[in-house]
Structures are given as C-alpha cells and as structure tokens.
Amino acid sequence: MEESERLAAFEKKIGYRFTDRRYLLQAFTHSSYANERKIRKLPDNERLEFLGDAVLELVSSHWIFTVNPAMSEGEMSKLRASLVCEPALAYCAREISLGDYVLLGKGEAATGGAERDSILSDALEAVIGAIYLDSGFTNAKEFILNYVMNDAEAKKLFYDSKTILQEMVQAKGQGKVRYEVIGESGPDHSKCFVVRATSLDGLETVGRGKTKKAAEQEAAYGAILKLRGQED
C-alpha cells in the first residue's frame, strides 16, 4: 500500500481527514524508522506524543470531572490513571488497528514492535497531538472521547486488574490466581513477556507486556472480561 493510501485508510477508520497529512505521517513514525533514514531527516513521533499526552490529560480530566460530580480528587486521579495508563491506551490503539500503520525500523519490526504496548500507546498520543496541530482542540477532544474515553467502565480495569480479579475469584471460593511466565522474546532492553493466569475453576487467559507485571495485568484483565461474560 502506498503512503497516501495508508494515510487515507487510517483517516477513514477514525472519521477524520487531515488538512496537512504530514502531521499524521509524523505520528506514525517511530524513532527506529526515522533513525534508519537519517538522510531524509524524517521527524519521529516523540514530540507529537509529548503534545498529545498533555491534550489527553486535559480532556480526560474534564470528562471525569463532569461525569462524576460527587467523586473526590483522589478518586478522580485514580480513575484518570486507569483510563490513560499504557495498557489502556494500547488497547485503544488496537481497537483502531494503529499497529498496522506505525512505521518501524527493521529491528523493531522484527521483534514485534507493532504489538508492543509502549509503541502503540505512544503512537496513539502522537495521533492526538497531530489532530490538535492540524485543526485544534475541538477535533482532538472528539477523537479522545470517541476512541479513548468510550467504554470507560471496561478500560478502568487496566489500572489494577490483578486485585480486581483476585477479589472476584475469592468471592467464588476459588482461592488464589496463579501467574506463570510461559514465554519471552526480544533483546534485554526491549523484552516482551507472555504470562498465563489460571484459577482453580479452570479459567485460563494469556497476557503480554514489556514487563512481567504488565503481562500479568493484561492476563488478569482478560480473565475479568471472561468472568463478567459468564455472569451476563
């Protein structure tokens, strides 16, 4: 797929057309890709990520403040941390197949960078920054509300899925959830761990992350969704 077609396909997916597609191209460009093409001096997405993070914090804070008028400052801070933490943002990125569009260096691509939470969450924040620069706060806010703050009840589980899962399992009399590392890949500076979570009732899920803790949280999140599905 040619560059213009890639950009157009993503625009169609998110329902927003850029006035200046250079912003979107920069949002897709990981530093590993830019570094391999130094002659072109291609800008990577780190500066856009910085900007997008600030816009995301403001929009998410305002949304939480407005939707939860009785919530304390501490509770609002915890909820915001849940909704904009790295695993939650990576989940949002996967919902719009952002990994299919991110431009990675050969080494990063070969080690599964397109599925790494850190890369996906950074790229999502960069897209927010790109929209903000392209047309201002209103459209950036609309994107955040549509693709980040949607389904907040499910996404806030990312913050401490292990604790929530353990409480659910204990309530059913199933003892302690067991976590086991069943695989790892990548160089020491960029590991990807695969963890399996199991409980006595036969529940089993798998999670991935750049740390064992992150992989455990993802596995726990998947288990929570399974249990809730069984209860529905």
Side-chain angles (χ1 to χ4, degrees):
M1 185 183 297
E2 293 184 1
E3 184 177 284
S4 60
E5 293 176 332
R6 287 168 56 85
L7 299 178
F10 186 75
E11 288 176 330
K12 183 176 181 181
K13 185 178 291 289
I14 65 172
Y16 175 80
R17 184 175 178 81
F18 279 79
T19 301
D20 188 344
R21 282 182 171 172
R22 287 176 297 180
Y23 291 130
L24 180 57
L25 179 60
Q26 184 178 350
F28 288 161
T29 305
H30 187 257
S31 58
S32 63
Y33 185 88
N35 290 338
E36 286 185 0
R37 291 155 177 79
K38 291 180 181 177
I39 297 178
R40 294 177 58 189
K41 296 182 180 179
L42 189 67
D44 63 41
N45 63 10
E46 291 178 357
R47 284 171 55 82
L48 282 178
E49 174 206 337
F50 170 82
L51 180 61
D53 176 70
V55 177
L56 175 60
E57 182 170 348
L58 175 58
V59 173
S60 59
S61 298
H62 181 262
W63 183 86
I64 292 168
F65 182 88
T66 304
V67 173
N68 305 280
M71 190 173 281
S72 69
E73 183 272 340
E75 291 173 321
M76 288 192 295
S77 295
K78 184 176 180 180
L79 177 56
R80 184 178 62 195
S82 304
L83 296 175
V84 302
C85 67
E86 184 178 285
L89 293 182
Y91 177 88
C92 298
R94 292 187 181 99
E95 289 284 282
I96 54 175
S97 305
L98 185 53
D100 294 342
Y101 301 91
V102 174
L103 300 172
L104 301 171
K106 294 178 181 178
E108 198 67 63
T111 56
E115 280 301 312
R116 193 166 296 130
D117 281 5
S118 58
I119 289 177
L120 289 174
S121 61
D122 289 350
L124 185 69
E125 289 181 332
V127 169
I128 293 169
I131 295 173
Y132 176 79
L133 286 180
D134 189 62
S135 62
F137 182 77
T138 299
N139 285 319
K141 177 182 178 181
E142 183 177 358
F143 175 84
I144 292 169
L145 294 179
N146 287 339
Y147 298 106
V148 180
M149 308 310 294
N150 63 321
D151 198 14
E153 280 300 311
K155 289 172 182 171
K156 71 181 182 182
L157 299 174
F158 276 114
Y159 188 68
D160 196 6
S161 297
K162 289 178 66 178
T163 299
I164 296 171
L165 175 62
Q166 189 57 55
E167 291 173 350
M168 294 176 71
V169 170
Q170 284 183 335
K172 297 174 66 177
Q174 295 297 330
K176 190 174 179 62
V177 179
R178 181 170 177 266
Y179 296 92
E180 176 188 7
V181 177
I182 59 174
E184 59 181 86
S185 60
D188 290 340
H189 70 278
S190 186
K191 285 282 189 183
C192 178
F193 293 91
V194 182
V195 169
R196 178 169 56 210
T198 56
S199 63
L200 294 178
D201 63 352
L203 179 68
E204 181 177 310
T205 53
V206 173
R208 293 171 174 79
K210 65 179 182 178
T211 64
K212 293 178 183 178
K213 181 178 179 181
E216 289 172 353
Q217 291 282 19
E218 184 174 285
Y221 179 79
I224 291 170
L225 295 183
K226 274 191 175 183
L227 289 174
R228 288 190 167 182
Q230 293 170 7
E231 293 172 357
D232 291 342

